[in-house]
Each structure stands twice: as C-alpha cells, then as structure tokens.
Amino acid sequence: MEGNKDEAERCIEIAVKAIRNNQAEKARRFLDKAQRLFPTDRASVLLKSLEQNEHASSQNGSTAGTEAPEDGSEHHRAPEDRSSDSAKPYTTDQVDAVKRIKQCKNYYEILGVQKDASDDDLKKAYRKLALKFHPDKNHAPGATEAFKAIGNAYAVLSNPEKKRQYDQYGEVKSRAGRHSHTNADFQPDITPEDLFNMFFGGGFPSSSAAHMYSNGRTRFSQQHQERREQRGGGLALLVQLMPIFILVIVSALSQMIITHPPYSLSFTPSAGHTQKRFTETLRVPYYVNEHFGQEYSGMSLRKVERNVEDDYISNLRNNCWREKQHKEGLLYRARYFGDSELYNRAQRMGTPSCSRLSEVQASLHGY
C-alpha cells in the first residue's frame, strides 16, 4: 500500500505540471489514476478545481477569471516590483516546507534521517527533498537557501570523514554559538548545483569538485573555507591558526622528500613519459621515460607494475561510482516525472568502467 501511495504522489505531481501547461485532460487522467492508487484529499481538491474551471469556461467562454490551484492550497504572488523569478506563484505548503528547513538545527534534521542512516537512506532523502525544493519548481521565499542547505547536508553526511568530524564537533558548535549557521565549518567539496546535476542527469561536477588524475595518482581539489570569524583576542587567534601553520610546514617538507612516480596512466604520451608499456598481470597500458628499462628490473619493476595496477583499479572504482550515480539519477528522474523516453534511455545506458572493473576482479581471483 505504501508503494501505491508513492506512485499516487508522482501522478499528482505530473497532474500539477499539466495544470501549469493548461493541459486539463492530461491532468484529469493522472488525478484519476492517483485516486485509484491511493485516494487523497489533495487529488480530490484538484479534480474539483478542474471541474469548476471547465464549468466556468463553458458559461463564459474563457477561463481568464479562474485559475485552478495546483496542489489544493492557497497560491501567493510576489509584488510586481520584484524580479520575474520571485513573481512566480507558490503555495502555502511550499512556504511551510521552507520554514521547516530553516528551523532545523542540524544536517540530520534537514534530511529527516537518523544518525545511523545508511547510504541508501541518505540518497533517498536527498532525491526527494532536492526535487521538492529545486528553484525551478519551488518559488517560495527562501527556497533557494533551503535547496542549498539540503545539498550541503547530503554532501557532508555522505562523506565518511566529514560525517565523523561533523558528529564530533558540529552539534557542539551549534549549541555553544549564538549563530544559526555554525555548520559553515563543515562545508562540502561540491556545490549543491553540481550535486543535483550529478544525481539527476544534468552532467558531472565542475572542475572545482571533480577528480583529477596526475601520473596515476588520484588527487582531489578542495575548496578552502576562508571566511571565519575572529573570536577572542590575539592569543585565541594564534591558537586557531596554529594547526594551519603546522599543515603548511608538513606539506612543504613532504614536497621536498616525496618523488613523483616513474609512470603515467595517461591515454597518450606526456612530457617525460613517452614510452608505452603494459603490466604483466592485467596488461594495463602505461607510459614511462626512455631510461625506465635501465633503472627498473626484477623486483623493482614488479613493484612499479603493482602500483600501476592499483592506481588503475582505483580509477575504475571512482569512474564506476560516477557512472552508477548518473544512471540512478536519470532513472529516478524519469520515474518521478513519468518520462518513459528518458527511462528507456537510462535503462540502455552502459557502465563501461563497472564492466571493466568486474573483468579485472575476475582475472585477479581466477574466475
């Protein structure tokens, strides 16, 4: 029965969209279907509104004087002197939903999940809320800020390291401080817009949040949070900055003693790596310099090739995860909006990195 309820909600959303586009017949079909699946007052109100509009249209020859509420609740319109986006209609339900997000005290409340929520629970909560509060769909005041808060909440809680830091320090800061936005110390490495696009088929993250590979080593470019309020006197500021000074010193020393790997996993030759080779076990292609054969042989060569294959498998795992996220997002979006063409296209979409990863794992385990 719960499955019927979710399907009925999707039918109502499609009907609301049809009402916006003046497609009364389509709206009626989906509302009737929703009532058959799971009767609700909302669908009933929308059906009555359609009947009233049709009756008024038959009497007056026009529907200019009446407009059906899109979800059975009162509509509001912003004053004329505001921008065109803010002048779009919104409902009292949308206003109340935005208020609820603003009143949340932590990321768990924003997503409506428990602290022990699984990765699937987080994804399900994010998908539902992101579609509900996306600026293209929700025009209530504050909806954009709520959408960003939802994206930030998922990005932090879905990252094991950031979640651990947030669980340890986040709520303590929230209780100690007087400001409601102390969660700024736990900002994610991806923007809410990029996260939404990755989930729902709008493309992959921009360069500021994407994975970058150099000589086969996976690196992540992270956005630094530079806007921090100064608290206390000079001594307190020095104590706060001390970890940063230590990190800078350690990083500088590391750069001095760490050597670059003698290979590149690039698909084409690059500066300093022009000779193509293949690993003995998995036949992974990689590039080395012209003196590689003289410098590496026997055990040292096998060690390099193990590193090459480890980096190759790591890259496959990352790409496989992105491919799955992209496909799942398209399928969810297609089911939500009843788009059969998009659904079929998503079903046919392949995941080549996942297929190659399966082949590699089978080869390693002798399947």
Side-chain angles (χ1 to χ4, degrees):
M1 195 65 177
E2 189 65 25
N4 288 347
K5 181 179 180 181
D6 292 340
E7 185 64 28
E9 287 294 328
R10 283 194 286 271
C11 289
I12 293 175
E13 293 299 330
I14 296 172
V16 168
K17 186 176 180 181
I19 292 174
R20 289 198 193 103
N21 297 329
N22 295 322
Q23 299 173 324
E25 187 58 33
K26 179 179 179 180
R28 181 187 297 278
R29 287 201 311 272
F30 278 96
L31 289 172
D32 287 338
K33 181 179 179 181
Q35 288 296 75
R36 289 195 299 272
L37 290 169
F38 193 90
T40 61
D41 293 337
R42 184 185 179 193
S44 177
V45 169
L46 287 169
L47 282 169
K48 289 181 180 179
S49 298
L50 285 175
E51 293 175 358
Q52 292 174 358
N53 274 0
E54 290 177 356
H55 181 68
S57 177
S58 63
Q59 288 184 340
N60 303 326
S62 171
T63 58
T66 59
E67 182 179 355
E70 295 180 357
D71 60 0
S73 57
E74 182 182 356
H75 279 75
H76 299 269
R77 186 173 294 273
E80 294 297 329
D81 59 344
R82 297 190 180 181
S83 66
S84 58
D85 287 340
S86 62
K88 294 179 180 179
Y90 52 87
T91 68
T92 53
D93 287 343
Q94 290 175 330
V95 173
D96 292 340
V98 169
K99 288 180 180 178
R100 186 195 71 79
I101 295 295
K102 288 186 174 182
Q103 291 171 355
C104 291
K105 298 178 181 179
N106 57 58
Y107 285 156
Y108 293 101
E109 283 190 25
I110 290 176
L111 294 181
V113 298
Q114 301 296 323
K115 284 191 174 183
D116 58 351
S118 65
D119 188 51
D120 288 339
D121 292 335
L122 292 174
K123 287 180 181 178
K124 183 178 180 181
Y126 171 76
R127 287 191 181 110
K128 181 178 179 180
L129 292 172
L131 287 172
K132 182 177 181 180
F133 287 91
H134 193 278
D136 288 344
K137 184 175 181 180
N138 191 329
H139 306 294
T144 299
E145 289 74 15
F147 173 76
K148 292 179 180 178
I150 292 164
N152 290 342
Y154 174 79
V156 169
L157 297 184
S158 63
N159 183 313
E161 179 61 23
K162 286 188 175 291
K163 181 179 184 296
R164 183 188 66 78
Q165 294 177 359
Y166 180 76
D167 289 343
Q168 186 173 0
Y169 303 112
E171 295 186 13
V172 174
K173 289 176 177 284
S174 297
R175 288 194 296 268
R178 297 182 61 186
H179 299 286
S180 60
H181 299 292
T182 50
N183 290 335
D185 291 337
F186 303 94
Q187 290 299 316
D189 297 327
I190 184 172
T191 66
E193 292 78 12
D194 283 340
L195 180 63
F196 182 89
N197 290 337
M198 188 173 70
F199 260 86
F200 297 103
F204 292 123
S206 61
S207 58
S208 63
H211 297 272
M212 296 191 299
Y213 301 97
S214 172
N215 290 331
R217 301 298 185 185
T218 305
R219 308 187 190 280
F220 300 93
S221 61
Q222 299 182 344
Q223 298 175 343
H224 298 284
Q225 287 74 43
E226 299 176 344
R227 298 180 180 177
R228 295 179 181 272
E229 298 178 353
Q230 293 185 356
R231 301 180 179 89
L235 179 60
L237 179 61
L238 179 61
V239 171
Q240 289 179 356
L241 294 178
M242 187 62 69
I244 298 177
F245 293 148
I246 295 174
L247 285 175
V248 170
I249 295 173
V250 171
S251 177
L253 292 174
S254 299
Q255 291 297 325
M256 294 173 62
I257 63 176
I258 293 178
T259 59
H260 294 287
Y263 60 88
S264 169
L265 283 179
S266 173
F267 294 111
T268 58
S270 57
H273 301 91
T274 58
Q275 308 298 314
K276 188 174 185 179
R277 295 176 61 95
F278 293 87
T279 61
E280 183 177 354
T281 304
L282 297 178
R283 306 299 297 168
V284 175
Y286 65 103
Y287 286 89
V288 297
N289 61 39
E290 56 186 6
H291 304 296
F292 181 84
Q294 302 172 6
E295 299 173 357
Y296 296 91
S297 62
M299 287 296 297
S300 61
L301 176 60
R302 286 195 288 272
K303 183 177 180 180
V304 168
E305 291 197 346
R306 279 200 301 270
N307 289 336
V308 170
E309 292 178 348
D310 287 344
D311 288 338
Y312 177 70
I313 293 173
S314 177
N315 291 355
L316 284 178
R317 287 198 182 101
N318 288 327
N319 291 333
C320 176
W321 180 84
R322 295 175 65 194
E323 290 168 359
K324 285 182 176 179
Q325 288 289 96
H326 185 49
K327 184 171 183 176
E328 289 177 6
L330 287 179
L331 288 171
Y332 187 87
R333 185 177 183 179
R335 288 193 294 265
Y336 188 87
F337 292 106
D339 191 333
S340 58
E341 181 180 351
L342 178 61
Y343 183 83
N344 292 332
R345 179 159 60 88
Q347 286 280 46
R348 293 192 300 268
M349 184 176 295
T351 52
S353 296
C354 299
S355 300
R356 177 56 183 157
L357 181 60
S358 298
E359 294 173 1
V360 168
Q361 292 174 335
S363 175
L364 289 175
H365 294 87
Y367 294 157

